Amino acid sequence: TMMPGETPPPPAGTAAAAAACANCGVLQQNINEYVAALIALKQKMIDADRLLTEYQQKCTDILYFSIEISALRCQVEQMLQKILPLEKCQEELGSLKAELEEKKVCL
C-alpha cells in the first residue's frame, strides 16, 4: 500500500527511461567532442606560441645583423677614405721614381 502523496515508481523499460538514456548518451558524446576540441585548441595555442617566439627571435636576429652591417659599412667607408690618399701618394711616388730614373740616365 502506498502512502498519501507518494507516486508509484515508473515501471522499468518505459519509453521515458529509454529517452533519458538516449539523451545521456548524446550528452556524453557532445562532452567528449567538446573536450577533444578544447585539447586541439590548446595544442594550437601552444604551437602558435612557439611559432611566435621563433618569429620574435628571428626579428631580433635581423635587427642585430642590420646593426652589424651598418657598422661594417661605416668601417668600409673609413678604409676607402684612407686608401684614396694613399693611392694618390703611390701615383706621385711612381712619377717621382720615373723622373729620378730619367735624371739618372742623363747623369
Side-chain angles (χ1 to χ4, degrees):
T1 63
M2 292 199 336
M3 300 294 288
E6 195 178 4
T7 55
T14 61
C21 282
N23 286 342
C24 283
V26 170
L27 181 62
Q28 186 61 52
Q29 186 180 351
N30 288 343
I31 289 172
N32 292 344
E33 290 171 4
Y34 180 69
V35 168
L38 281 177
I39 291 169
L41 181 61
K42 185 176 180 184
Q43 187 58 51
K44 284 182 182 178
M45 287 171 69
I46 291 168
D47 293 344
D49 212 35
R50 182 180 48 78
L51 287 173
L52 186 59
T53 303
E54 288 175 9
Y55 175 75
Q56 286 172 335
Q57 183 58 52
K58 286 179 182 175
C59 287
T60 303
D61 291 347
I62 288 170
L63 185 62
Y64 171 77
F65 290 132
S66 296
I67 292 168
E68 287 286 305
I69 288 168
S70 294
L72 289 171
R73 280 190 180 136
C74 285
Q75 288 179 6
V76 168
E77 284 298 320
Q78 289 172 356
M79 289 173 71
L80 284 173
Q81 288 173 2
K82 289 177 183 176
I83 287 171
L84 289 174
L86 290 173
E87 285 178 344
K88 194 172 180 184
C89 286
Q90 195 173 13
E91 287 173 17
E92 290 173 5
L93 283 172
S95 299
L96 284 172
K97 189 176 176 185
E99 283 180 36
L100 285 172
E101 288 295 327
E102 286 176 24
K103 288 183 179 178
K104 186 178 170 186
V105 168
C106 291
L107 291 174

